[in-house]
């Protein structure tokens, strides 16, 4: 017996033991799989949202976002509370502050009865070059807005928004009973923010919203992008009532919020994983009780206590790893479903399964298997031979 108690034999015996109790093994592995799948889905949301915001901010051209009041980190400040005269003030001080371009922006979120009817409208001066605001912006179909479109009922639609809403050239978007927009172009910016918004002439959107002297924000591009933080500080010093945030500051605030949500998701996942670990410990402990006489016989023919310890611990690890493999597969399916729903609503894939996340899931399964198998394994290695053999 001592000559054949290597890792290969231990693994073979552990797998055979689990196969002898197929229903219990299946249900335990399924419980672990559900726990791991839940952890994968919850944690993938953090990975996906972080990736989405990173891509969106990377594809957003303006270096600085100027709003009224202290900078709040709001990515979509839809409230039109920035007085229009600040646009002229910033343009007049452009040379002093190092500003290359200042573009007034009006944002409007319109909900609908279904995801396909919910849109983000962005009002911009019709003569602005979209490539100044969105890197890689180009017309996929039709045309872009021109100066002649200012005040007219026209719009260009981001590629993702057009796909969700089944909008094509000539489609009509009704903002209110008095204002409708005809789609004259479908635009794209390499999967960036532009793909998910509808751009309309600024004065047209102002008329639809009943706002003529205020903006949601002013998008500012600096002469030297690498000095955006200095320009933002200069704007706030000259205009204390304004808030100025750089793209990096926005991303840092988003990252901080995501870290908080990561802790919450990790806590929820930990609860599910603890339940799975308890299930493994219960299954393995029951197996040890049922096989007391079997273990005594193995000890009687020469096996050492450490062999039984390793055998039971291996069973626990195999259960956990099998559950983890199935759980990762189920989790990928859950992530696919979440992304389908999210894309219908906001045109973005908000969950992402990364190699780091898969590695974390497998590592957690290993730790779960080890921790839940220690007590049953220790009991199996301490079974008294004479007493166990005397049992019926």
């Amino acid at each position: 017996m001592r000559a054949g108690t290597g890792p290969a034999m231990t693994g073979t015996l552990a797998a055979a033991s689990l196969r002898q109790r197929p229903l219990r093994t299946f249900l335990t592995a399924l419980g672990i799989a559900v726990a791991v799948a839940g952890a994968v889905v919850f944690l993938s949301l953090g990975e996906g949202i972080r990736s989405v915001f990173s891509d969106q901010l990377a594809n957003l051209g303006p270096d600085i976002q100027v709003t009224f009041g202290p900078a709040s980190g709001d990515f979509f400040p839809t409230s039109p509370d920035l007085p229009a005269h600040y646009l002229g003030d910033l343009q007049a001080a452009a040379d002093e502050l190092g500003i290359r371009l200042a573009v007034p922006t009006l944002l409007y979120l319109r909900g609908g009865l279904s995801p396909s009817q919910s849109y983000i409208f962005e009002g911009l001066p019709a003569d602005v070059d979209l490539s100044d605001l969105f890197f890689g912006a180009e017309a996929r179909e039709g045309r872009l807005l021109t100066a002649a479109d200012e005040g007219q009922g026209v719009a260009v639609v981001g590629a993702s928004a057009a796909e969700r809403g089944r909008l094509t050239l000539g489609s009509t978007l009704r903002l209110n009973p008095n204002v409708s927009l005809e789609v004259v172009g479908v635009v794209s910016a390499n999967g960036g923010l532009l793909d998910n918004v509808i751009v309309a002439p600024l004065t047209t959107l102002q008329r639809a919203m009943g706002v003529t002297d205020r903006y949601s924000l002013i998008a500012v591009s600096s002469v030297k992008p690498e000095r955006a933080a200095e320009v933002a500080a200069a704007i706030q010093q000259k205009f204390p009532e304004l808030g100025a945030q750089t793209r990096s500051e926005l991303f840092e605030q988003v990252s901080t919020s995501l870290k908080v949500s990561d802790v919450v998701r990790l806590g929820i996942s930990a609860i599910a994983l603890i339940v799975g670990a308890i299930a493994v410990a219960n299954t393995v402990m029951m197996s040890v009780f049922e096989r007391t006489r079997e273990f005594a016989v193995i000890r009687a023919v020469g096996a050492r206590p450490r062999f039984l310890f390793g055998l039971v611990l291996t069973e626990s690890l195999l259960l956990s790893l099998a559950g983890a493999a199935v759980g990762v597969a189920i989790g990928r399916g859950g992530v696919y479903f979440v992304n389908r729903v999210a894309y219908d609503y906001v045109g973005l894939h908000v969950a992402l399964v990364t190699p780091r996340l898969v590695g974390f899931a497998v590592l957690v399964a290993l730790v779960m298997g080890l921790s839940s198998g220690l007590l049953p394994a220790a009991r199996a290695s301490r079974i008294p031979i004479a007493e166990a053999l005397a049992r019926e």
Side-chain angles (χ1 to χ4, degrees):
M1 175 67 69
R2 293 177 184 176
T5 56
M9 182 178 181
T10 302
T12 301
L13 291 175
S17 175
L18 293 175
R19 287 196 298 268
Q20 288 177 359
R21 301 164 179 82
L23 181 59
R24 183 188 301 170
T25 299
F26 170 76
L27 292 177
T28 304
L30 181 61
I32 300 169
V34 171
V36 171
V40 168
V41 172
F42 277 118
L43 297 178
S44 70
L45 289 172
E47 297 284 338
I49 294 174
R50 188 172 285 105
S51 175
V52 164
F53 274 99
S54 178
D55 292 341
Q56 298 293 343
L57 287 175
N59 285 327
L60 188 62
D63 307 312
I64 303 165
Q65 179 173 289
V66 177
T67 54
F68 189 68
S72 63
D74 189 358
F75 194 65
F76 282 109
T78 54
S79 177
D81 55 4
L82 176 60
H85 70 82
Y86 282 108
L87 175 63
D89 295 341
L90 288 172
Q91 291 173 336
D95 293 338
E96 173 190 348
L97 298 174
I99 294 175
R100 180 179 66 85
L101 181 68
V103 180
T105 304
L106 187 63
L107 295 173
Y108 171 57
L109 304 183
R110 194 195 76 176
L113 298 177
S114 67
S116 62
Q117 296 176 333
S118 300
Y119 301 108
I120 303 172
F121 290 88
E122 184 163 357
L124 298 170
D127 60 351
V128 72
D129 186 350
L130 288 182
S131 61
D132 284 333
L133 301 178
F134 306 97
F135 293 136
E138 60 180 4
R140 180 178 295 183
E141 300 178 37
R143 63 177 178 85
L144 300 179
L145 297 180
T146 64
D149 293 319
E150 192 62 62
Q152 303 301 310
V154 295
V156 294
V157 183
S160 296
E163 182 181 349
R164 290 198 315 276
R166 298 181 180 179
L167 300 174
T168 59
L169 297 181
S171 297
T172 299
L173 289 164
R174 194 174 183 83
L175 287 178
N176 60 39
N178 299 318
V179 180
S180 296
L181 304 177
E182 179 186 350
V183 176
V184 296
V186 176
V187 297
S188 178
N190 301 321
L193 181 64
L194 180 61
D195 285 15
N196 294 285
V197 302
I198 297 173
V199 179
L202 177 63
T203 53
T204 302
L205 193 58
Q206 285 180 318
R207 185 171 72 251
M209 296 176 63
V211 176
T212 58
D213 59 348
R214 293 179 181 273
Y215 309 127
S216 299
L217 60 94
I218 297 175
V220 173
S221 294
S222 54
V223 176
K224 296 182 178 180
E226 67 275 11
R227 300 182 60 184
E230 297 178 23
V231 176
I235 291 174
Q236 291 188 125
Q237 183 176 5
K238 188 173 183 64
F239 305 101
E241 62 278 18
L242 299 182
Q245 297 180 98
T246 64
R247 280 182 293 170
S248 59
E249 289 173 337
L250 281 171
F251 186 66
E252 287 174 3
Q253 293 188 28
V254 171
S255 296
T256 300
S257 300
L258 287 176
K259 287 178 182 177
V260 174
S261 65
D262 284 344
V263 173
V264 175
R265 285 192 295 272
L266 188 60
I268 296 174
S269 301
I271 294 174
L273 292 170
I274 289 172
V275 172
I278 293 174
V280 174
N282 180 64
T283 296
V284 178
M285 184 64 82
M286 289 180 63
S287 175
V288 169
F289 278 120
E290 293 173 354
R291 298 155 63 195
T292 299
R293 185 178 180 83
E294 174 189 331
F295 288 157
V297 171
I298 294 175
R299 285 286 312 280
V301 297
R304 294 179 178 178
R306 67 183 183 186
F307 171 74
L308 293 180
F309 184 90
L311 177 64
V312 174
L313 198 59
T314 300
E315 292 181 14
S316 178
L317 284 173
L318 288 177
L319 265 175
S320 297
L321 288 176
V326 176
V328 170
I330 295 175
R332 285 183 176 275
V335 167
Y336 174 79
F337 175 76
V338 169
N339 281 333
R340 285 292 300 272
V341 174
Y343 190 83
D344 286 341
Y345 275 91
V346 296
L348 298 171
H349 293 151
V350 298
L352 178 66
V353 179
T354 62
R356 178 179 65 175
L357 182 55
V358 173
F360 175 77
V362 174
L363 178 62
V364 167
L366 285 171
V367 173
M368 186 169 60
L370 284 171
S371 59
S372 59
L374 285 175
L375 181 60
R379 177 176 177 81
S381 66
R382 295 196 302 266
I383 292 177
I385 298 176
E387 180 182 342
L389 290 174
R391 294 187 181 183
E392 291 294 333

